[in-house]
Amino acid sequence: MKRLGQTKPLVLAMLAGAVVVLVVYLAASSYLMFLLTGAAVSVVIMQSFGVITGRAGVISLCQMSFAAIGAWTVGWANVGGVPGGFLVWLLLGGLAAVVAGVAIGIPALRLRGMSLAVATFAFATSLDVVFGALNFPGQDEFVFVVRPPGFTGDSEYFVFSAVIVAILFGVLWKLDRSRVGGALVEIRHSERAAAAHGISVIRGKLAAFALSAFIAGIGGGLMAGQLGVVSATNFTSASSVAFFAIALFAGTHNAEGAIAGGLLGAVFPVLIDKIGIPQDLSTMFFGVAAILVLRHGMSQTDDLRARRRAKRAGKAAAGQPDDQEIPAPSRPVTVLKPKGEEQPGDGPVLAVRDLRVRFGNLVAVDGVTLDVPPRSIVGLVGPNGAGKSTLVNAVTGFTGAYTGSVLLGGTEVDALAAHRRARAGLRRSFQQLRVPAALTAGMFLQVAAGRRLSRLEIDEELAWFACPGADVPMESVDVATRRLLEVAGLAAGQPRVLLLDEPAAGHSSGETRLLASRLAEIPERSDTSVLLIEHDIELVRSVCDQIVVLDFGRVLAQGAPEQVLRDPAVIEAYLGGTRTSPESR
């Protein structure tokens, strides 16, 4: 029943779409049918922008170039009589565009922002030159593309295009509810957070390029089937820019945004031409709209969705009692080993040996050596600027320029990238909150855990941390709860070591007590060791088995909490007068 409830919006939307298509099929004039078929083709191309820009956050100005490749392939297959008919040709066009998508994606992976926009636009303009000098197959002889059997008429081809649109909507709806879709959203929000959760940013972006190119190639093939014969003027780099502006304005990663964008792209130029405004000026209108979106921070459909969610959240909060009790998880906690008790022969699960990090003449971390035993909590404390976050960045692979070694379970991980260290079991949070608001709480847990979680596991983990339900959007919860959700997601992945950078920041006293209780249980519940960076000394004292104190990038003291916190050098570092570096003492 729960799965049926989750698919109900999709089913209702498909039924509503089918009714609209039937009405158009029965009642529309031939001219309106032509316009709406063009709109359906535009919706497909808008969906490609929804994947690459809306979901992955990558600026691409060459989607119409991928569409051109799809159209060229369909024309070539038509002229060459490739077996299989139009459906096979359409898939071939999408696959040919994938090759181009990967080819442009690989060199563009290390580019961002305007640099990436320039690179993709350069590809689009280069393809303009190529296709301008090389006519599309069938263009010279006017060999029209043969449409699929049963859909040869304009009205029937409109239905065929609408079916393709619906299939793509269904696939992308499924993508958005998968860990892959959640990973793309996290890449858009924060590449560092994505890598910390074991997501390969490079593979994620490359997959987004490939999928968006495939969809755009399908769109180009549909256009070839609609027009019969296409030319390079149907797929110019200028049209790519115009479609990008529409996608940014409408928010084509949302289904309603893709439909609105397709209608705008196909119908708006005709409408302004009807009132005496040149069609070429439509691009200017779209550009102005895109600038307004950039100033506002979100697309029109994102804004509307956010308002609806906020309204529903307000009604739900008003209908619940203030003293609502959070249900305890139904699954019993399995105690793996009494806390602090070490088994014979157990070595440290994380060992840092003589680690140094230098930024020019500044030595941020100076020969740090520390161990994190199995199923234990080690506190890493020190004054501001002591090098704690820099040490964690080096250990987790986000600072590559260090000397020394990092061993996980006795194996060196220094050669591994950040996301590979995370997959090996070295997970972390960040001092600056990096939780994407576009996900639901349940989806974020799936992404942060780095493994497939059942709905029961998600619900229990959320209840354990007194967090909102799985279907609650992250944007509707406060910052402190997002921090709890981040810890919950990381703990759900059961990593070997969990490095938490100030997880109690911004918490109330009650939330801090809850966090302390849950942190104390993580080693036994998840077989996970914790390295905790925290300024709240009482929190550190209450949950940590050992404490390591850093000052000026060096280990000042380490040992049992009460022993370390009574150390005069530690007291001086926190409460003493003017601090001096070790060299000047």
Side-chain angles (χ1 to χ4, degrees):
M1 291 299 293
K2 184 175 287 187
R3 182 176 295 273
L4 180 60
Q6 292 172 348
T7 59
K8 185 177 179 180
L10 177 65
V11 173
L12 292 176
M14 291 294 186
L15 290 175
V19 171
V20 172
V21 170
L22 180 61
V23 170
V24 171
Y25 174 76
L26 295 174
S29 65
S30 58
Y31 178 67
L32 182 59
M33 190 70 70
F34 176 81
L35 282 181
L36 292 179
T37 304
V41 172
S42 297
V43 169
V44 173
I45 296 173
M46 288 298 169
Q47 287 174 307
S48 78
F49 280 104
V51 170
I52 189 68
T53 300
R55 289 173 176 82
V58 176
I59 297 177
S60 174
L61 301 180
C62 61
Q63 298 306 110
M64 290 301 289
S65 300
F66 299 143
I69 292 171
W72 195 95
T73 303
V74 168
W76 166 81
N78 177 67
V79 171
V82 174
F86 186 79
L87 269 177
V88 172
W89 305 343
L90 202 60
L91 291 175
L92 289 176
L95 293 174
V98 168
V99 176
V102 173
I104 187 61
I106 290 175
L109 287 175
R110 299 190 181 277
L111 301 177
R112 294 174 180 82
M114 289 305 300
S115 298
L116 181 56
V118 170
T120 55
F121 186 71
F123 173 77
T125 53
S126 299
L127 216 61
D128 282 353
V129 175
V130 171
F131 281 132
L134 181 67
N135 286 344
F136 279 67
Q139 184 177 351
D140 293 334
E141 305 85 0
F142 282 97
V143 178
F144 284 75
V145 172
V146 178
R147 293 174 177 175
F151 299 96
T152 54
D154 289 345
S155 299
E156 291 76 16
Y157 191 77
F158 165 75
V159 174
F160 176 82
S161 301
V163 169
I164 298 297
V165 168
I167 291 172
L168 290 175
F169 275 141
V171 170
L172 294 178
W173 184 89
K174 187 70 174 176
L175 173 70
D176 289 339
R177 284 148 186 83
S178 69
R179 288 177 54 220
V180 175
L184 290 178
V185 172
E186 186 157 48
I187 289 173
R188 180 187 70 188
H189 179 77
S190 172
E191 293 183 9
R192 289 172 68 86
H197 294 153
I199 299 168
S200 172
V201 175
I202 289 178
R203 288 186 179 181
K205 287 186 175 181
L206 201 57
F209 261 112
L211 179 57
S212 71
F214 178 80
I215 295 173
I218 294 293
L222 283 175
M223 185 182 294
Q226 179 198 11
L227 301 179
V229 175
V230 293
S231 67
T233 57
N234 297 116
F235 309 99
T236 64
S237 55
S239 61
S240 274
V241 174
F243 271 44
F244 173 78
I246 297 172
L248 203 62
F249 170 73
T252 54
H253 51 287
N254 301 318
E256 67 273 25
I259 293 172
L263 289 170
L264 282 173
V267 177
F268 184 75
V270 177
L271 291 179
I272 66 170
D273 184 65
K274 292 290 185 182
I275 61 176
I277 301 176
Q279 289 192 12
D280 293 341
L281 292 181
S282 62
T283 304
M284 181 187 70
F285 289 114
F286 299 145
V288 172
I291 292 172
L292 293 176
V293 169
L294 292 173
R295 290 186 61 187
H296 184 55
M298 64 176 67
S299 68
Q300 293 300 301
T301 52
D302 282 331
D303 187 33
L304 290 172
R305 286 189 172 199
R307 294 184 186 213
R308 287 198 299 267
R309 285 193 294 262
K311 191 174 181 179
R312 286 197 299 267
K315 289 181 178 179
Q320 292 183 356
D322 295 335
D323 58 348
Q324 184 182 17
E325 184 178 349
I326 302 295
S330 59
R331 181 180 56 190
V333 175
T334 302
V335 179
L336 300 172
K337 187 183 70 171
K339 186 177 176 183
E341 177 185 331
E342 295 185 14
Q343 297 174 355
D346 273 358
V349 65
L350 175 65
V352 179
R353 297 289 178 263
D354 196 29
L355 195 142
R356 286 179 169 82
V357 179
R358 179 187 294 272
F359 300 108
N361 294 326
L362 173 66
V363 181
V365 178
D366 192 1
V368 169
T369 293
L370 62 85
D371 291 335
V372 178
R375 294 174 289 277
S376 66
I377 302 179
V378 176
L380 184 62
V381 301
N384 288 329
K388 305 183 295 297
S389 294
T390 303
L391 174 64
V392 171
N393 285 340
V395 169
T396 53
F398 288 93
T399 298
Y402 68 82
T403 59
S405 59
V406 178
L407 296 93
L408 183 63
T411 302
E412 287 192 2
V413 295
D414 304 289
L416 298 182
H419 73 280
R420 294 194 177 277
R421 297 191 195 194
R423 291 178 183 177
L426 199 57
R427 296 296 183 97
R428 67 164 298 178
S429 67
F430 291 88
Q431 186 174 350
Q432 294 80 24
L433 190 62
R434 298 174 184 267
V435 176
L439 299 178
T440 61
M443 179 57 70
F444 175 72
L445 249 65
Q446 289 275 15
V447 174
R451 66 182 183 92
R452 187 175 299 280
L453 302 175
S454 68
R455 184 58 185 250
L456 177 61
E457 289 178 301
I458 292 173
D459 291 341
E460 289 184 342
E461 197 75 16
L462 292 173
W464 190 48
F465 276 87
C467 289
D471 297 325
V472 174
M474 298 289 286
E475 66 183 3
S476 66
V477 300
D478 56 59
V479 172
T481 304
R482 292 186 194 184
R483 286 193 179 277
L484 284 173
L485 280 164
E486 184 174 29
V487 178
L490 292 169
Q494 300 178 348
R496 302 174 75 176
V497 184
L498 181 52
L499 299 94
L500 301 176
D501 197 345
E502 298 191 28
H507 284 183
S508 66
S509 58
E511 289 164 336
T512 301
R513 287 194 299 271
L514 172 66
L515 176 64
S517 172
R518 298 306 179 249
L519 288 178
E521 295 179 50
I522 284 176
E524 297 164 355
R525 191 173 193 262
S526 306
D527 194 17
T528 297
S529 297
V530 179
L531 182 62
L532 175 65
I533 300 177
E534 188 54 65
H535 283 292
D536 188 333
I537 295 300
E538 290 307 313
L539 172 61
V540 172
R541 189 198 306 269
S542 66
V543 303
C544 291
D545 302 301
Q546 301 178 28
I547 294 180
V548 178
V549 183
L550 288 189
D551 194 27
F552 291 103
R554 294 182 177 178
V555 175
L556 183 63
Q558 57 183 321
E562 295 303 327
Q563 172 191 345
V564 169
L565 295 177
R566 287 198 303 265
D567 190 315
V570 175
I571 296 174
E572 179 186 357
Y574 272 97
L575 303 175
T578 304
R579 294 172 62 217
T580 56
S581 65
E583 290 78 3
S584 60
R585 288 176 182 168

